[in-house]
């Protein structure tokens, strides 16, 4: 597998149109969640996501979970300053697209995860939110694993009794748009005939929105899009991906030792200090 192919499996994508585009296009509720970023907000089972089933909890699982938290708290100390992450080669996924959670990815570490070499000390992605000043605030990290991993293999990394690994499914992308394009942040915003863009006659703001969001502008396509079946996707000028990327799990180690928060499906409040 070449480098570019490996890079296509490095992120849990957090893509959606901002509120003003949502209103203009009358998108309605998005599948799985009505929040701006269904992945970063209240993640849940739905047309675009599957999750691992819970297993009975053991004392060993609890011990392993606390090891993960302790390891991350130490490993992530330098990255509370997001500029350190950038200086070390982390790249922000879609920095110009409003998101609830921004993924800063170390592609070398992510590649290792997606060939089955996990290291708790080196998560493939760091997770940040923006504060009221527009600065990035570190809230956690994301581990990834190959798409063909079994529940037992995922459990060996982070126990399934503690966390829900998730995968993105039934993703409709316009014809001509690939996962590599999305990974590179290319939403084809300059291609005026791209499906998913707002009609330019709908608003004076439509051209600028289309340029920023490309095929994500009208809310039909992508990882939180309204289209979730192959027939509708094809009729809209798209192609369906049964699964995009591999398995992923978020960990939020900075809000105490409550494992339901640390390994939960909701983004906790950013720490204030």
């Amino acid at each position: 597998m070449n480098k570019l192919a490996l890079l296509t499996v490095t992120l849990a994508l957090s893509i959606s149109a901002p509120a003003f585009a949502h209103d203009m296009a009358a998108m309605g509720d998005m599948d799985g969640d009505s929040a701006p970023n269904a992945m970063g907000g209240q993640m849940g089972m739905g047309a675009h996501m599957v999750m691992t089933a819970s297993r009975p909890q053991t004392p060993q699982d609890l011990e392993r979970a606390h090891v993960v938290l302790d390891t991350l708290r130490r490993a992530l100390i330098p990255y509370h300053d997001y500029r350190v992450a950038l200086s070390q080669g982390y790249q922000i996924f879609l920095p110009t697209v409003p998101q609830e959670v921004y993924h800063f990815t170390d592609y070398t570490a992510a590649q290792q995860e997606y060939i089955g070499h996990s290291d708790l000390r080196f998560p493939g992605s760091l997770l940040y939110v923006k504060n009221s000043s527009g600065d990035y605030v570190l809230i956690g990290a994301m581990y990834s694993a190959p798409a063909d991993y079994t529940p037992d293999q995922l459990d060996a990394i982070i126990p399934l009794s503690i966390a829900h690994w998730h995968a993105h499914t039934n993703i409709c992308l316009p014809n001509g748009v690939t996962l590599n394009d999305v990974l590179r942040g290319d939403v084809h915003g300059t291609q005026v005939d791209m499906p998913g863009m707002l009609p330019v006659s709908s608003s004076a703001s439509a051209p600028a929105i289309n340029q920023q969001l490309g095929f994500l502008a009208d809310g039909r396509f992508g990882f939180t899009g309204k289209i979730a079946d192959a027939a509708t996707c094809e009729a809209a000028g798209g192609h369906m991906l049964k699964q995009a990327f591999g398995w992923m799990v978020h960990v939020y180690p900075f809000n105490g030792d409550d494992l339901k928060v640390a390994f939960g499906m909701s983004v906790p409040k950013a720490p204030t200090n």
Side-chain angles (χ1 to χ4, degrees), residues 14-267:
S14 304
I15 306 171
S16 62
F20 57 84
H22 182 289
D23 293 340
M24 284 180 58
M27 288 160 49
D29 287 342
M30 293 181 136
D31 293 306
D33 190 1
S34 58
N37 173 358
M39 165 154 180
Q42 295 283 343
M43 290 192 292
M45 294 284 283
H48 291 307
M49 186 175 290
V50 295
M51 296 184 186
T52 52
S54 293
R55 292 185 170 184
Q57 195 173 96
T58 68
Q60 291 77 16
D61 289 345
L62 292 173
E63 182 177 353
R64 290 173 55 206
H66 284 290
V67 168
V68 173
L69 296 186
D70 291 342
T71 300
L72 274 182
R73 287 167 182 162
R74 292 192 299 270
L76 299 186
I77 287 173
Y79 306 115
H80 283 282
D81 185 341
Y82 71 92
R83 290 163 293 223
V84 173
L86 294 176
S87 72
Q88 293 188 8
Y90 284 85
Q91 299 182 39
I92 309 172
F93 180 73
L94 292 182
T96 63
V97 176
Q99 303 170 61
E100 186 172 3
V101 177
Y102 292 82
H103 294 68
F104 286 47
T105 297
D106 176 338
Y107 289 121
T108 299
Q111 288 176 27
Q112 289 300 305
E113 290 178 339
Y114 273 96
I115 60 174
H117 299 159
S118 295
D119 189 329
L120 295 177
R121 299 169 300 171
F122 303 106
S125 292
L126 310 177
L127 304 177
Y128 290 83
V129 297
K130 281 188 175 180
N131 62 20
S132 58
S133 301
D135 291 325
Y136 291 104
V137 179
L138 182 67
I139 59 168
M142 184 181 83
Y143 297 105
S144 299
D148 61 356
Y149 257 29
T150 66
D152 285 344
Q153 288 173 303
L154 296 174
D155 183 81
I157 303 172
I158 293 181
L160 301 186
S161 68
I162 302 295
H164 290 285
W165 288 79
H166 65 274
H168 295 283
T169 58
N170 302 318
I171 310 303
C172 183
L173 296 179
N175 292 331
V177 177
T178 68
L179 278 176
N180 283 340
D181 292 335
V182 177
L183 184 64
R184 291 193 300 266
D186 182 2
V187 293
H188 292 249
T190 59
Q191 187 172 334
V192 296
D193 58 347
M194 175 60 61
M197 289 185 171
L198 301 172
V200 294
S201 60
S202 63
S203 167
S205 300
I209 294 171
N210 287 338
Q211 186 169 11
Q212 180 185 9
L213 300 177
F215 70 88
L216 301 172
D218 73 7
R220 291 180 296 156
F221 295 95
F223 289 73
T224 58
K226 294 172 68 176
I227 298 176
D229 67 276
T232 304
C233 181
E234 183 177 356
H239 59 282
M240 180 66 70
L241 305 177
K242 292 302 295 181
Q243 180 173 338
F245 311 108
W247 290 99
M248 310 156 197
V249 64
H250 289 189
V251 185
Y252 308 108
F254 304 124
N255 292 72
D257 292 328
D258 186 342
L259 298 182
K260 291 183 179 179
V261 174
F263 294 91
M265 306 309 294
S266 299
V267 177

